[in-house]
Structure formats: C-alpha cells, structure tokens
Amino acid sequence: MAGTTAPSTQPVLDERGVDFNTLFDVPEGYEVKLWAQTPDLYNPTNIDIDARGRVWVSEGVNYRETWREHHTMHHPAGDRVMILEDRDGDGYCDSSKVFVQEKDLVAPLGVAVLGDKTIVSCSPSLIIYDNAGDKASNREIFLTGFGGRDHDHGLHSVVGGLDGKLYFNTGNDGPHEVTDKSGWHLHSGSSYVYGPTGNTGNRKSDDGRVWTGGLALRVDADGKHLTPLAHNFRNCFEIARDAFGNLWQSDNDDDGNRSVREAWVMEGGNYGYFSADGTREWPADKRPGQSTLTAHWHQDDPGVMPLGDNTGAGGPTGVVVYEGGLLPKGFMGCMFDCDAGRNCVWVHRPVADGAGFRLERSTLIKIKDFPKEQLESDPKLARLNWFRPSDVAIGTDGAIYVADWYDPGVGGHDTKDLECRGRIFRIAPKGDHSKAPKIDFGSIDGQIAALNSPAVNVRYVAANKLAEGGEKSVAKLLAAFAGGDSICRARIIWVLSRCGDAGVGVVGKMLKGDEAARLTAFRALREVMPDVMPMAEQLASDPSPAIRREVAISLRDVPIEKCESTLVKLAEGFDGHDRFYLEAYGLACDRKEEAIYPILAEKFGGADPLVWSAKMAAFAWRLHPMAALEALSARAASEGLPAEARRQSLDAIAFINDPRAAEAMMKLASSAPPDTRQLADWWCKNRASNDWKTYPAMKPIVAAATEKPDAATTRRSADRLIVLDKSAAKMDRERAVRRLAADKDGASVLIGMAVEGVFPAEFKLAVAEQLSHNPDLGVRALASQYFPRQTRSGTPLPPISELAKIKGDAERGHAVFAGQTASCVRCHKFNGEGKDVGPDLTAIRTKYARLDLLDNILNPSANIAFGYEPWIVKVKSGEVYSGFIVADGESVVIKESTGELRTLGKDQIVLRKKQALSIMPDNIALGLSAQDLADVAEFLLTAPVKK
C-alpha cells in the first residue's frame, strides 16, 4: 500500500472481493464498487475532489474525547486529512498519503480543495493551508470562534461559489463568537448545550440582528464580509450551492421525533428550531393540538420558513447538487443527501412551487432490507451492512463518490466500530472505466471546460481564473453561453458579472431574458451593483414569483422612503397562500412593519377586518405590527370566522411585544369563543414566561408561578436544614433524611444536596433503598449516580452478545414496555402510545441493530441523545428540579421526567448542573429479566410502525 497509513493492531477487513451490488439498491443500469477502505482512510467525516480527480478525506479518529479511551485506534499526533488516488486506473485506490496531521485537528468535519489552497473545517476554526506538493504549509486561521469543538454540531465544510465567495454552515452547538477580517462581529448566543450560567439569547451581531441556532454563512475569499444567510437550524451538516445560486442542505431533528428535513435555504430565512431569540427549544413552545413535526420547527410562527421535505427518522450528513456526470439527465439539478441513520443517499428533485420549491424524494443508493434473522445469523453480512454514509461528492470523471463512516449504529456520543474503519464507494454505469480528465487552467478554453466540470470546487477555481481574465474572457464566455444549456448559461452569468464593466453590461441585458437567466442575473448583479433599486423596480411586477421573491429579499436593508412603491407592487403579486413568498415579503418589510402596514391595510383590507381577504389576513399575521392589534383582536373574538382564522389572529397577537397585546390576549382568554379562549389562555401562560413577563397584564400569572412555598416545601426545607446540622442528634438527622427520601419531591432535595457536595456520607446507605423505589424513574436514575444502587434481583444478566441470541416475543415485549415494571411509556412514545419526555422510539430500529439496542437499554448513560442531557436545578426556596432545559432566558423552563414543564425565574436559581447520567434508568433500576429485555428488543425492532 503506497503512502502513509495509520497503525492498527486489528486485522484489516479487506472487502475488495465483495460484490456490493448484492448488498445495495442502486439505479437500474448502474453499479456500486468499493473504491477505498481502511487502512487507506479511517472514520471519514467529509470528502472533496480536486482537479486531478483525487479524493481528499477529513478523518475523525479522535472524535469524542469522552469515550476515546475505549477505541483501539487513536492518533496521538492529531487527526488527519488524507489524499487518495487511483493511479493505475483500475477503479480502486492505490495511493493514500497524509496531507496534514495536527494535534489541533480534533475530528475536522470538512475539507475543501480550492486550487492551491485547502480549507479544513475544525471547530472553532476554518484553517487554510497552501497545498503545493501535497503537503500542508503556510497554515492560517482564516476565521475562528465557532462553537462545537469535537462535536458534530460544529463547523462544517466549505464550498466555493461561482461568485468567488465561500459558503459553509455550522450546527447549533454555540455560542459562535466570530470576527471576520474586516472586523465585523458575529454574536450567535444560543448554545445547544446550555452552560452552568444559562443561555444568553437575543444577542445581536454587528448588523443589529439576532442570529441563532445552526447557521448558513458566506464570506469573501479574503475573509471579509462574513454574512449570515439563514439561521435557526439544528444541525445542518453541509451546504450545497447550485448553478443558479440556490442553497440546499439537510437538518437533523431531536433524536426520536421523526422530523429530519431537507430544505431549500432562502437568504435571510429563519428555519425555526429555537424561538426567534434563541432562548427556547420547541417543547417549551408546543401549542395545544400541534403535531410534533409542526412544533419541532415552529411552523406556525410568523417569520419561520417552510420546513422542506420531512424524511422521518434518520441522521442526515453530507449533500451535493448533481449538475453533470455519468448519471442520466433526469438527475440534473437534484440534491444528493446522505442519511447515515437510514443507511442511504437520498435524491431530492427540486420542483418550483410558487416562490419556493417542493422536493420530490427518491433513493440513489441504499442498503437492501435483509431479513433480521439473516443478519443475526450471518455476522459477516451484518458487518458488511454497516453502511453509514457521511458525505457524497461528484468526481471529475462524473462518477458519484460516497464516504462511509462504517458503524453498526449512528449517534454522536458513541460508536461501536472501535477500529474507526471507513470506506469510499464509487457509483457509475455498469462497466464504466472513466478516467479523470486532464484539466487546463492555463487557457480560457480550458477554464470554460473546467467551469462545466462535475466537481463543484473545480468549477470554483475555473470561475476565479475566468474572472481574473476580465474583459479578455467575455467573448469566449458569450460564445459558450449561446451553445449551452440552462445550467451552463447560469454559470457563465456569474462569471460575466465579475468581468468588469463589459461583463456587467452583458448581464444587465439578461434581466430581460428567460426566467432562469433573469433570476441568476439579478442575483449576480446584486453582488456587484452599488444600488439595487433600479433593478428591483424593474422586476417587482415580474410574472415569476421566484424573481419577485428575490426582489423582496434585496429590500431588507433599504429604507421605506426609497422602496415604498416597490413594496406595494410586490404585495400586489402575493396570492394570499404562498408561504415562501410571504416570508420573503416579511424580510422586505423588516423594521418597516409599522410604516408599511397602514398602506397595505388601506389597499387590501378595507374598513372591516372581519371580511379581510386571505392576502390581508396573511400580511397582518406575518408583519404583526402594533397598528394591527385592534383588527386582529376583533378577528380572534369573532364567532363568525372559521376557527383557523381566529387562531391565526391569536398567533399574530402573541408575537406583538407590547403591553397592549398582552392585555388584549388576557381579555380573549376570558371572552373569546371557547376554542379560541383555550389557546389564548395557553398563550398568556407561555408569554408570561418570556417576552411579556414584565407587562402589567401578566402579573397574576407571573405571581402564581412564583408564589410562596407551600407547607410541603417548607417542611422539606426544614428537613434539609436538620440533615445539614452537625450539632443535631444523629437520630433526628437520619429521620429527616428518611422523610425526604420517602417523599417524591424530597428525593430531589437529597439529589440536589449530593450535587452540591454537602450530603453527609454516613446517611447514604440509609436512604439508598427508598430512593431506588421512588415512583419517578428519572429520580431513581439520577439518584443512582450519587447513592449506592440497589438491585431488584440477584440473578446476573448474561453478556449482551448472549442476550441478543435469546428469542424475543413482540407481544410480551409490548406488555413490558407499557407495564408497571419498566414503565417505558412514562417517558417514551411508540406508535403514539406513551409520553414524549425522552426520544420517540418508533423509529429506533433505523438507528440500532439488536445488539446495539440492548446495549443502550442496559447502558443508557453511554449514549445520551443530543437535547436529552439532564440537569439538576435548585432554587432559593430549597426545591430541586431535574429534567431537560427547554427554555433559557429570563425564565428557565425545565421539562421534568413526568413530562411537566416547570417555569422558574432565572433570578431564583442558585444552582444548575448538567448530569452525566441519563434519566433513563439502567436495567438495575428497571428490574428486567433477560427474557424481558429480549422481548422489549423484539417489540421495538419488529412491531408494525404506523405512518
């Protein structure tokens, strides 16, 4: 094996002789072949393909310091970026060499080869290297300050745009505190894992706006003009840009909620994972009657973009847009997106839908659905079946390359493949032996040919070379434009806009071309023209809703006095229903809502709000200015309007941050029609815990939430003082300890004392038995971290490998799942049965095989799902609460293990500490037998799943 490889004490699993077409479903007429495997690479997190057709791989061998000691493989010198090549053209990698290896590289999640520069994404930094001679040199920290170190919710890969700019994204493990090369500051305050002092929401960047959650970003090639393009994602793993300037990405849900999505990314869009200020997760804002999917992405909130295509459960990773290669033309323009949780690469075809897109889904490559009995009886087949795609790229040869993380399960906190192996597959027509073409960047003709390379970052280099040629490139670009298809023409428009006055003049004429040309030309000219208004006025009445959408987006920072007439024209083009258009229009009116609303009301509303058109009602909902409060209140209270219209008006009122809106909502909570009244009451309680907390109308609700401790609380506080009083009689202290242990809420007080480190060690055994029988399973699990665990059965369990061989009964497993012993339904849902405290387990079979499922049941703290890290919170009254923090602003909302949301004033909290132990009890606390466990596993893996 040529080049440098990592040492391993394990035998290499050589799969070159395997016919993978028997394992995968692929498009008819195509085949999948193994192109590279360990030891040429380990744990591939991302791939890119250079102008020579070589595959660059970023590795994550040292991923997750917390469990690294369990791995056979480790890179003491740091993680690596590898260069893989098929030198002899036989369809298999025969050269593997290290480009860079550094201790500061801890699980880098991205690599981009941009000509003579290579950018590695490794939170907290984007790092640029010169790559001459395939060795890293002149290391530069390009941008730094991103959250997510050693975390897959951190900084992801860069892709070069034909506009010469760099595009990338980052997950929601903030905060992101970044200063670009021109001194512009990004302050993204929300953090996925709340810190010990809480989350700082409402943090404004230098543009005066609040950007929260995961971010899609753009920056100039010199590191200046860092620009958030969209925000409020959970974990957008990679971003892709097509020839027309559209951005595409996937986004992971909270584990178990079947809310994974693939989406078109609109500039300026809020994609709804957190509340708009970044202080609340979706469980804190879930309204009565809302589905999990709708609540998960705040889809009923004004100012939030449509979610895109919901693919259910999964673990989305890398994406690319296919714009040429060896696949049929029917794939052109499709997004290929990896889903490590579903063992597949999806195909999403964008179809214009008003001002946005709908996505039609199919599959590029997927592991075949083998019977579970066959996988469990054939360990070799099961291991070959460990396909967890982490990225997909198009080679210069036109083939599809898929990186495989290779593991039996998928999840950020744990892996089972302790040797960190990896694979790369090549998908092409059967019998294809295409070679990487030679690319000539030295001539204009060669650069134009490279502009149409299937490899995205090769196109970026070609566009830059052509732009450097300036007006010398224009004539040949126009000749290529005349003979090209729509994708080729779009690429040329971007380049022409960068070729000086002559090129800009040509692009200006394309504003009168076909729809694709007009759209691309407007986008390209926005980046080089100092004043957008002449173009905006020209296109504000364009027949294409997509072009009017782009005009609307361009007006976001234009003062009302300069764009009022254009805003009215754009409003005339709204059909009253297109959510994409409405959100773009809302961006156009950003900070201009109060000024534009009276104009819209006069033109589209009329004197009586009860007879508003769908258009006017939508404008009032999306803009929700104070000026609309009276009309919205009238609509919310009207029994003559459909319930949906009343709810829409109520929701709009809830987003008006003014004391008068709070007063109006309180009135509606007591006088509106019954169905509206219930929602208004919910809104009052919700808003009293955040933006409306200080408003006079909310005082009764706030007071009720912070009322004086009741007698039981007072008694628990007194017992706590007795336990801590070393001068008191030991008998009295022990009695106080036992009273607290016997009290459901008193048990939390004891746990809180242990967290603080003040619980007297001599009493631990005295209360351990009582705590192990607490009716709250979450309390039992947390108590086991600080007090000796008590088993319910003296019979030891067999090893997990033996447990997995026990034949289970799904019907009995359901009885255990829903019964009193395990009481799984107290925290988990399956097919809609149970509570949504912990992850929904309906789709757990897509993430774990039997062996790994049993391991997670027996060792729940080894792999706590993101967003389900438990916290202990103590308040001044002495009460202690445990659960998940789902909102963290002036008020802190805890979702307890009962499912109840507990709102606490931030100023009342005296202690908060994240726990390393899951609130899901392990088998010692559950008291399940080996057969019980086998039955539960059988139920979760085989019971029919409702759609």
Short mmCIF file of all heavy atoms in Angstrom, two decimals, residues 29 41 115 214 224 270 456 571 596 839 845 889:
data_model
loop_
_atom_site.label_atom_id
_atom_site.label_comp_id
_atom_site.label_asym_id
_atom_site.label_seq_id
_atom_site.Cartn_x
_atom_site.Cartn_y
_atom_site.Cartn_z
N GLY A 29 -29.14 -0.13 -14.21
CA GLY A 29 -28.06 0.10 -15.17
C GLY A 29 -26.78 0.62 -14.54
O GLY A 29 -25.80 0.86 -15.25
N LEU A 41 -7.90 4.95 4.77
CA LEU A 41 -8.60 6.03 5.46
C LEU A 41 -9.27 5.46 6.70
O LEU A 41 -9.54 4.25 6.77
CB LEU A 41 -9.64 6.69 4.56
CG LEU A 41 -10.92 5.89 4.24
CD1 LEU A 41 -12.02 6.81 3.79
CD2 LEU A 41 -10.68 4.80 3.21
N GLY A 115 -8.12 25.01 -5.59
CA GLY A 115 -6.90 25.32 -6.32
C GLY A 115 -5.69 25.05 -5.47
O GLY A 115 -5.48 23.92 -5.01
N GLY A 214 -28.18 26.77 14.37
CA GLY A 214 -27.27 26.50 13.28
C GLY A 214 -27.37 27.58 12.22
O GLY A 214 -28.45 28.15 11.99
N LYS A 224 -13.23 38.63 4.49
CA LYS A 224 -14.05 39.79 4.83
C LYS A 224 -15.52 39.54 4.49
O LYS A 224 -15.85 38.62 3.76
CB LYS A 224 -13.54 41.03 4.08
CG LYS A 224 -12.12 41.43 4.46
CD LYS A 224 -11.66 42.66 3.66
CE LYS A 224 -10.24 43.06 4.03
NZ LYS A 224 -9.77 44.23 3.25
N ASN A 270 -35.45 32.28 8.63
CA ASN A 270 -35.42 31.69 9.97
C ASN A 270 -36.06 30.31 9.84
O ASN A 270 -37.23 30.20 9.46
CB ASN A 270 -36.20 32.58 10.94
CG ASN A 270 -36.41 31.96 12.31
OD1 ASN A 270 -36.02 30.83 12.58
ND2 ASN A 270 -37.07 32.69 13.19
N VAL A 456 -17.62 20.35 -7.96
CA VAL A 456 -18.05 21.70 -7.63
C VAL A 456 -16.89 22.66 -7.37
O VAL A 456 -16.90 23.81 -7.84
CB VAL A 456 -19.03 21.68 -6.44
CG1 VAL A 456 -18.41 21.05 -5.21
CG2 VAL A 456 -19.53 23.08 -6.11
N ALA A 571 -46.51 43.40 -3.00
CA ALA A 571 -47.71 42.95 -2.29
C ALA A 571 -48.81 42.58 -3.26
O ALA A 571 -49.57 41.63 -3.04
CB ALA A 571 -48.18 44.05 -1.33
N ILE A 596 -45.34 50.24 6.73
CA ILE A 596 -45.99 49.68 5.53
C ILE A 596 -47.39 49.17 5.83
O ILE A 596 -48.25 49.15 4.93
CB ILE A 596 -45.12 48.55 4.92
CG1 ILE A 596 -45.60 48.21 3.51
CG2 ILE A 596 -45.13 47.31 5.78
CD1 ILE A 596 -45.44 49.32 2.51
N PRO A 839 -36.76 10.48 23.89
CA PRO A 839 -36.93 10.28 22.46
C PRO A 839 -38.05 9.30 22.13
O PRO A 839 -38.28 8.33 22.85
CB PRO A 839 -35.57 9.71 22.02
CG PRO A 839 -34.61 10.17 23.06
CD PRO A 839 -35.38 10.19 24.34
N ARG A 845 -35.35 1.43 15.32
CA ARG A 845 -34.78 0.33 14.51
C ARG A 845 -33.93 0.87 13.36
O ARG A 845 -33.09 0.14 12.83
CB ARG A 845 -35.89 -0.56 13.98
CG ARG A 845 -36.81 0.11 12.98
CD ARG A 845 -38.04 -0.72 12.69
NE ARG A 845 -38.90 -0.84 13.85
CZ ARG A 845 -40.06 -1.51 13.86
NH1 ARG A 845 -40.49 -2.12 12.77
NH2 ARG A 845 -40.79 -1.57 14.95
N GLY A 889 -34.03 31.88 29.26
CA GLY A 889 -33.91 33.32 29.13
C GLY A 889 -34.08 33.93 30.50
O GLY A 889 -33.47 33.50 31.47
#
